[in-house]
Amino acid sequence: MSIPVVDLSGPRDAVVRQIDDAAANVGFFAIVGHGVDSHTIDTAWNEIVAFFGQSHDVKMTAHHPTDLNHPYGYHPPQQETLAASLGQATPPDLKETFNVAPPKHHPDPTGAFGGNDRLWPSYPTTLRPAWEAYYDAMENLAGRILQLMAEALHLPTAHFEPSIDQHLAALRGIHYPPVTQPVEEGQLRAGVHTDYGTLTILLPGEGTGGLEVEHVEGHWVPVEPIDGCFVINTGDLLAQWTNGRWRSTRHRVALPATERARHEHRYAIAFFHLPNWHTEVTPIETCVSATNPARYGTVEAGPWLQAKFDSAYGGVSLA
C-alpha cells in the first residue's frame, strides 16, 4: 500500500475520482496544489516549534482550567492514551500537545466543545496570530475537500455545508520529545487509533519514528513526508456517513528505530475536522443499496466526539 498523491489544481473530475479511490482503498492520501500560502504554513510551524522549546512554566500558561474537561490548550507529556479510544489498554503516549479550540459558536450542551475561549501561552506572543491564520486556512481547505468529496458521492457540491457551519474542528501542535528513557511495553509516541471526525489535515515533520498506517493485511506502512504536501485521512464519522465506502484507517506514531533517531525531536501539526455538535450522521442515500444495506445507525457528532475524548483521557488527570 502506498499513499496516493492528489493534485487539487488538476481537472476537477479527475481530482474527484482520485479522492474517491484513495478514501475507499487506503483512507489516506497526500495533496499538492492545495493553494495554502507557504508563508502561512512556515510561520505556524516555526511558532509551534518555538512554543514547545519553552520552559514547562511558560507552556503551562496555556494549560486549560482544571475545572473544564475539554481538550484545548496545552497538555504535558503522557496525558493522552489514543489507543484507549479503540478500547485498548496501553501506557500513555509519549507526546505533548497544544490544542486550539474551534471558533466560539453557541455552546454545546456540555459547555466543553465549541463554547470556550481559545487559550494562548504568554510566550511566544507571535504564536496566536500565526495559528489563527493557519486555522483559518485549514478551515477553508477542509471545506474545499468536503465539496470534492460530496461530488465523489454523487451529491450536490454544498451537501455537507449545513452540517459544518458551526463545526468542532480543532488544531493541534504535537511534539514528540527524544526517547531517552526506557519505555513501557506497548508504549508508543501515539498509540493505535482512528481519527474521530470527518477528515484530518496533517502537516508531518521530517525524521524517523513517524506516522505509520495499517495495511489491509495487517502490517504497518510508514508514511514519508512529501515536500509541500499535506496528508489527508478520512475519519470515523465520514466512514459512517459513507456506509463504509470510505475507510477510517488505523494508524500510529511509532518509536524511533535507531539509537540516533531516539535523540531527535519530532513535530507535527494536525487539523481535526468535525461536524456541528447536533449533526446526525446517518449513512448517505447514495452509499446504501439493496446489495449494500445500511451498516450503521445514526450517531450525533458531538456526543461521539465527547465519548472518544473521554476514553482517550480516561483515568488520566488533566490538572
Side-chain angles (χ1 to χ4, degrees), residues 229-273:
C229 285
F230 291 109
V231 174
I232 312 297
N233 65 282
T234 47
D236 296 341
L237 290 181
L238 201 53
Q240 293 183 46
W241 244 335
T242 62
N243 199 35
R245 171 173 174 162
W246 292 345
R247 298 179 59 194
S248 182
T249 303
R250 300 201 317 167
H251 51 286
R252 67 186 186 183
V253 178
L255 294 172
T258 67
E259 183 63 28
R260 178 179 178 181
R262 292 171 72 91
H263 291 270
E264 296 176 350
H265 295 263
R266 188 177 180 89
Y267 304 90
I269 301 176
F271 182 81
F272 299 104
H273 189 273

Side-chain angles (χ1 to χ4, degrees), residues 93-303:
D93 299 340
L94 297 171
K95 66 178 188 296
E96 59 180 340
T97 65
F98 173 71
N99 308 277
V100 176
K104 195 173 181 180
H105 304 312
H106 65 274
D108 63 77
T110 70
F113 295 86
N116 287 295
D117 291 326
R118 290 173 169 175
L119 300 170
W120 301 102
S122 61
Y123 190 85
T125 57
T126 46
L127 185 146
R128 177 173 182 171
W131 268 53
E132 287 178 334
Y134 188 86
Y135 186 104
D136 292 347
M138 294 301 100
E139 181 181 49
N140 176 274
L141 178 58
R144 289 188 280 125
I145 294 172
L146 283 168
Q147 289 178 344
L148 294 165
M149 287 179 158
E151 293 177 22
L153 299 173
H154 308 290
L155 298 166
T157 301
H159 173 80
F160 290 111
E161 291 178 11
S163 301
I164 64 173
D165 59 352
Q166 293 184 328
H167 62 77
L168 300 172
L171 180 60
R172 165 174 280 197
I174 312 167
H175 174 219
Y176 305 103
V179 183
T180 57
Q181 301 296 325
V183 301
E184 300 180 54
E185 183 177 356
Q187 194 167 34
L188 298 172
R189 281 178 155 175
V192 178
H193 64 286
T194 56
D195 289 348
Y196 312 149
T198 49
L199 59 87
T200 299
I201 305 174
L202 177 70
L203 182 63
E206 296 180 356
T208 56
L211 176 65
E212 295 182 343
V213 174
E214 187 178 40
H215 191 278
V216 291
E217 296 178 355
H219 59 273
W220 292 94
V221 179
V223 176
E224 299 296 336
I226 303 172
D227 187 42
C229 285
F230 291 109
V231 174
I232 312 297
N233 65 282
T234 47
D236 296 341
L237 290 181
L238 201 53
Q240 293 183 46
W241 244 335
T242 62
N243 199 35
R245 171 173 174 162
W246 292 345
R247 298 179 59 194
S248 182
T249 303
R250 300 201 317 167
H251 51 286
R252 67 186 186 183
V253 178
L255 294 172
T258 67
E259 183 63 28
R260 178 179 178 181
R262 292 171 72 91
H263 291 270
E264 296 176 350
H265 295 263
R266 188 177 180 89
Y267 304 90
I269 301 176
F271 182 81
F272 299 104
H273 189 273
L274 292 115
N276 304 348
W277 179 275
H278 291 296
T279 295
E280 292 188 345
V281 177
T282 301
I284 294 167
E285 292 181 1
T286 58
C287 299
V288 177
S289 65
T291 57
N292 185 33
R295 308 180 192 180
Y296 304 96
T298 299
V299 299
E300 194 173 13

Side-chain angles (χ1 to χ4, degrees), residues 4-20:
V5 179
V6 179
D7 185 352
L8 296 190
S9 66
R12 193 171 183 91
D13 287 349
V15 171
V16 167
R17 289 194 302 271
Q18 290 165 7
I19 288 176
D20 186 21

Side-chain angles (χ1 to χ4, degrees), residues 16-42:
V16 167
R17 289 194 302 271
Q18 290 165 7
I19 288 176
D20 186 21
D21 182 69
N25 294 308
V26 184
F28 276 77
F29 55 97
I31 58 170
V32 296
H34 45 69
V36 181
D37 179 69
S38 61
H39 176 75
T40 300
I41 298 170
D42 294 343

